[in-house]
Amino acid sequence: GTAVMLSDISIFREIAGACGLFFDCQDQTSIRAITEYYLQHPSELYKFGQRGKEYVGKFSWHETAKQTV
């Protein structure tokens, strides 16, 4: 898994949950703050990556297709 930075919009919050950090796309300092946070806390990169791997394991193409059709 890979730690991610996402624009703070509802669909990304719905998709990513607690697997990444969110920034205000209208505020450059917000993006910089998250970048600096990851650089200053490298262990968080690993934690967010692990959360992401666990989170995506809850989804499957088969179940998505069943719910869509």
Side-chain angles (χ1 to χ4, degrees):
T2 301
V4 293
M5 296 169 39
L6 303 117
S7 180
D8 192 3
I9 59 174
S10 59
I11 189 65
F12 287 162
R13 284 200 173 270
E14 180 181 341
I15 293 169
C19 299
L21 294 177
F22 298 88
F23 62 87
D24 177 354
C25 64
Q26 302 296 318
D27 179 10
Q28 294 176 352
T29 60
S30 176
I31 298 169
R32 184 177 63 219
I34 292 173
T35 303
E36 289 174 353
Y37 178 81
Y38 277 145
L39 291 172
Q40 293 170 1
H41 302 90
S43 64
E44 292 298 304
L45 289 168
Y46 178 78
K47 288 179 189 176
F48 277 107
Q50 287 302 108
R51 280 188 207 157
K53 282 175 73 172
E54 293 168 9
Y55 188 65
V56 298
K58 297 177 183 180
F59 301 96
S60 77
W61 284 113
H62 179 74
E63 286 301 315
T64 300
K66 281 183 12 184
Q67 293 176 11
T68 303
V69 177

